[in-house]
Amino acid sequence: MEDFFQQLTNGLTIGSIYALVALGYTMVYGVLKLINFAHGDLFTIGAYLGLTLLTSMGLSDRLGPFLGIIVLVLMVMGLLAILGALLDRAAYRPLRESPRLSAVVSALGASIFLQNTVMLIYGARSQAYPADIIPMTALDIFGLYIPVARILVLVVSFILMAALYLYIQKTRVGTAIRAAAIDQGAARLMGIDVNRVILYVFLIGPALGGVAGVMVGLLYGQIQFTMGWAFGLKAFTAAILGGIGNIPGAMVGGILLGIIEALGAQYISIAWKDAIAFGVLILILIVRPTGLLGERVADKI
Amino acid sequence: MNKKLYIYGAISVLLAVAPFFLNAYWVDVLNMIGIYAILALSLNLIVGHAGLFNLGHAAFYAVGAYTAAILNTKFGIPILWLLPASALAAGLFALIIARPIIHLRGDYLCIATIGAGEIVRIALINDIFGITGGPNGIFGIARPVVFDFVIRRPHEFYYFIWLFVAVTIFFFRRLENSRFGRALNYLREDEVAAEGSGINTTHYKLGCFVLGAAWAGMAGDIFAAKMTIIAPESFNFWESVVMFAIVILGGSGSIPGVLLGSFLFVGLPEMFRDFADARMMIFGLAMIIMMIFRTQGILPPTPRTYPVEITEKARVHG
């Protein structure tokens, strides 16, 4: 039973990171009906930028570990938001009127481009995050071993998700994003500037993905230029699991996938962990393509 | 039309004499181009003609290669005799994988095939059924033998591989103009209309998946025979992406386009070895730029033409 709860907390942590990345996929898909294959690589870039900022600016020495990480997260979010908007401008915007599948190929190209740019800049070998930022102590809660880093990841991701949820539900821009996701044409007739909505989506999604990258660096200590693709595919699985285009769905899907994966690794086989996640992807596409919380889009599948 | 025939004739002659003027290294590059041409032509049936986005083609290639390697190393069956076995295994596998996901549209199918391809790679690494050799793969695969002649050196393989490319071109050329090929084109253009005209879309989609996969399986057999060692990393996601990019950028649905694409994407990086690290980056950039400026690819297919007999009466009435 202890193993079960231990794996549950592991799954919850990794799942909350999946959820953050999945939000980027689901928001872009909601508005543009495009799988942004490059999103996983934006997540990688977030991890690498975080590493560069940490080592070159010594944030945690100057500001202390917790304040330092908050400043770091904010800086990465800002940089990734700019990068996301640039990506949209360069690779997707010229293809708005083209067939949907051209945009998919462009997204694949963007993914290859970004991944290899990271490799050319940082090298092909995996890089280590400095280990001394977060205290390595682990808390003992009811006999469960929970490192501080994991709690930090959980807290930060839940704050971000709650903030996004409120933003989407309560603000004018959030309402516009929801409207554009339901029916772009009708939204345009209601006076919503859809291009502006798309810009917002490409600012918010990559910013959250970038934070997720930093968190993976802090949690595992090792980052690699190829990690975005497997992580991205799993996050996309999470988005489909929750119902693509559905923002709370991505959060639920991410956490659920994290837990399924952690329990699968414990009770089935750790070597098949990734295969379990992709199996879930295919299964959900066959059985319920609209996802757990999705209700529309039946005609698009 | 005649001009085209001259160009193709000249290219064929050039390819036939090429090994006499090139060293072993470049002949081997041409061999790799040939294998990718076979793979891309088989994927072209699925992506180009039927318009089904398959980003897991490397999985079928892997099933073919592993079938040949296992049967050859375990039972000593000559590798060339295993061509049909590889085709059968890959085709059956495609049938099992594709049956439940074939109804998915566009990018959903694309994602499902990526997932299936990854599961295959992970299964190979994890030494599924204890026969795939895990991450190290299988080694000691026998060379192909034709009438007591062992195909061993690059230029011997060259003629073997390019003969197979020629067979592949002939086969897919015939298929393109058949009832089957036209049905695929119809369902690519408008699935609902195709179904309305009595085309069983699921049947045709599955058919092209199985056929394309079987052909990729044979390419896997040839690859195993050429390398004598195969490992899961030769069949990863990026292999599928390269095949896919060759088809899309060369000109999806066009055999000359796909062949040109194979030369560009496998051959050019070898010429610019100095930029070896940057080649994938340029590759990605080329995909974006091509989609923006020339969506149909470098050499898109020419529309079908049918000779119409103009009678005297029609000419008069205009």
Side-chain angles (χ1 to χ4, degrees):
Chain A
M1 215 51 205
E2 216 147 83
D3 279 347
F4 179 78
F5 283 110
Q6 187 68 53
Q7 287 302 333
L8 212 58
T9 62
N10 292 355
L12 200 62
T13 321
I14 191 76
S16 65
I17 299 179
Y18 287 155
L20 281 184
V21 184
L23 284 168
Y25 280 108
T26 219
M27 286 173 77
V28 169
Y29 196 91
V31 179
L32 281 180
K33 303 290 171 279
L34 164 77
I35 300 174
N36 180 11
F37 278 104
H39 189 61
D41 300 290
L42 292 174
F43 155 85
T44 313
I45 292 175
Y48 274 92
L49 277 180
L51 176 65
T52 305
L53 291 174
L54 262 180
T55 47
S56 65
M57 298 179 71
L59 282 176
S60 57
D61 298 336
R62 263 189 248 166
L63 300 169
F66 287 99
L67 195 61
I69 283 170
I70 289 168
V71 173
L72 175 74
V73 161
L74 289 176
M75 285 171 80
V76 169
M77 281 178 87
L79 287 169
L80 259 291
I82 295 168
L83 203 60
L86 282 176
L87 171 74
D88 174 50
R89 187 71 195 78
Y92 303 144
R93 194 155 172 196
L95 292 165
R96 289 271 201 276
E97 307 304 324
S98 317
R100 259 169 73 198
L101 296 180
S102 309
V104 172
V105 177
S106 182
L108 270 172
S111 166
I112 297 173
F113 175 76
L114 290 177
Q115 181 179 328
N116 285 282
T117 307
V118 171
M119 187 200 74
L120 286 177
I121 295 172
Y122 290 94
R125 279 197 293 167
S126 63
Q127 304 252 339
Y129 254 63
D132 52 354
I133 309 164
I134 302 181
M136 277 292 123
T137 49
L139 302 181
D140 195 333
I141 304 170
F142 306 122
L144 294 177
Y145 167 86
I146 301 172
V148 175
R150 200 170 280 172
I151 293 170
L152 191 78
V153 165
L154 270 176
V155 170
V156 172
S157 50
F158 275 104
I159 290 173
L160 285 172
M161 280 192 261
L164 179 72
Y165 185 76
L166 289 176
Y167 184 71
I168 294 290
Q169 294 296 332
K170 303 286 178 200
T171 65
R172 280 178 71 87
V173 177
T175 314
I177 292 175
R178 279 184 294 142
I182 293 167
D183 189 331
Q184 239 189 68
R188 201 168 271 135
L189 290 176
M190 296 298 123
I192 292 170
D193 183 350
V194 174
N195 267 329
R196 213 181 162 77
V197 167
I198 294 170
L199 176 67
Y200 276 113
V201 163
F202 272 102
L203 290 173
I204 299 169
L208 295 176
V211 177
V214 174
M215 296 203 297
V216 164
L218 290 173
L219 204 58
Y220 296 113
Q222 283 246 325
I223 54 174
Q224 229 184 341
F225 78 100
T226 50
M227 70 181 187
W229 121 257
F231 221 95
L233 193 52
K234 285 186 194 166
F236 185 76
T237 303
I240 290 192
L241 192 60
I244 189 110
N246 184 319
I247 288 168
M251 302 176 188
V252 173
I255 289 165
L256 204 60
L257 185 72
I259 291 172
I260 292 172
E261 208 185 74
L263 292 180
Q266 170 79 22
Y267 294 106
I268 300 171
S269 158
I270 191 147
W272 289 84
K273 199 181 83 172
D274 291 353
I276 292 167
F278 300 137
V280 168
L281 168 69
I282 294 177
L283 203 68
I284 199 88
L285 281 175
I286 296 170
V287 181
R288 195 181 155 87
T290 49
L292 299 177
L293 300 187
E295 61 287 326
R296 47 192 193 84
V297 301
D299 60 312
K300 297 193 177 82
I301 299 149
Chain B
M1 199 61 213
N2 262 336
K3 207 173 112 195
K4 255 188 186 171
L5 218 60
Y6 285 130
I7 296 173
Y8 295 153
I11 293 172
S12 307
V13 171
L14 212 63
L15 277 172
V17 298
F20 296 106
F21 302 103
L22 296 171
N23 61 23
Y25 176 78
W26 284 103
V27 172
D28 212 43
V29 170
L30 284 175
N31 288 345
M32 279 326 285
I33 292 173
I35 289 179
Y36 275 98
I38 298 167
L39 288 168
L41 283 170
S42 69
L43 184 62
N44 183 36
L45 185 70
I46 303 169
V47 174
H49 285 292
L52 301 171
F53 268 38
N54 171 11
L55 264 172
H57 209 52
F60 308 133
Y61 180 37
V63 170
Y66 270 86
T67 305
I70 290 164
L71 291 178
N72 178 268
T73 51
K74 289 265 195 308
F75 304 106
I77 305 171
I79 196 95
L80 285 182
W81 289 20
L82 289 170
L83 273 172
S86 291
L88 197 69
L92 266 179
F93 181 71
L95 188 66
I96 296 164
I97 291 258
R99 186 65 196 85
I101 60 172
I102 201 78
H103 65 279
L104 297 171
R105 277 205 204 143
D107 31 14
Y108 279 85
L109 182 70
C110 173
I111 282 287
T113 56
I114 295 174
E118 271 307 285
I119 292 175
V120 168
R121 193 179 61 88
I122 294 164
L124 293 175
I125 291 174
N126 287 336
D127 200 2
I128 190 169
F129 312 131
I131 51 174
T132 69
N136 297 326
I138 297 176
F139 38 86
I141 301 159
R143 298 285 190 189
V145 182
V146 184
F147 298 121
D148 293 337
F149 180 78
V150 184
I151 301 176
R152 188 176 286 123
R153 286 181 297 172
H155 71 262
E156 294 160 2
F157 261 108
Y158 176 84
Y159 288 105
F160 172 56
I161 289 172
W162 281 90
L163 191 70
F164 200 85
V165 175
V167 172
T168 308
I169 294 170
F170 177 74
F171 175 78
F172 282 108
R173 179 80 198 149
R174 298 291 297 162
L175 199 67
E176 211 164 74
N177 292 314
S178 68
R179 185 188 173 82
F180 184 78
R182 280 179 283 128
L184 292 184
N185 286 174
Y186 196 2
L187 74 87
R188 175 190 64 193
E189 295 306 327
D190 191 333
E191 207 179 316
V192 178
E195 200 149 11
S197 319
I199 292 173
N200 185 342
T201 50
T202 308
H203 172 84
Y204 276 102
K205 282 181 180 177
L206 265 183
C208 86
F209 238 93
V210 169
L211 209 58
W215 215 269
M218 289 199 277
D221 177 295
I222 295 172
F223 179 75
K226 180 181 174 299
M227 304 309 283
T228 72
I229 297 173
I230 54 169
E233 277 317 302
S234 305
F235 309 102
N236 65 23
F237 174 65
W238 298 109
E239 291 299 310
S240 299
V241 171
V242 169
M243 295 173 210
F244 187 79
I246 288 173
V247 173
I248 296 285
L249 303 188
S252 63
S254 141
I255 290 176
V258 171
L259 289 172
L260 180 68
S262 314
F263 273 95
L264 290 180
F265 284 105
V266 188
L268 271 190
E270 292 296 330
M271 288 185 189
F272 299 102
R273 282 229 75 100
D274 299 342
F275 308 103
D277 288 341
R279 68 177 205 150
M280 283 306 273
M281 192 191 87
I282 297 166
F283 196 65
L285 204 58
M287 280 170 81
I288 301 174
I289 294 170
M290 280 292 291
M291 281 304 111
I292 295 171
F293 295 106
R294 202 175 161 85
T295 316
Q296 70 274 35
I298 304 168
L299 279 182
T302 45
R304 282 201 177 78
T305 49
Y306 296 98
V308 177
E309 213 175 300
I310 299 172
T311 58
E312 200 54 44
K313 205 176 159 193
R315 205 173 294 164
V316 171
H317 293 283

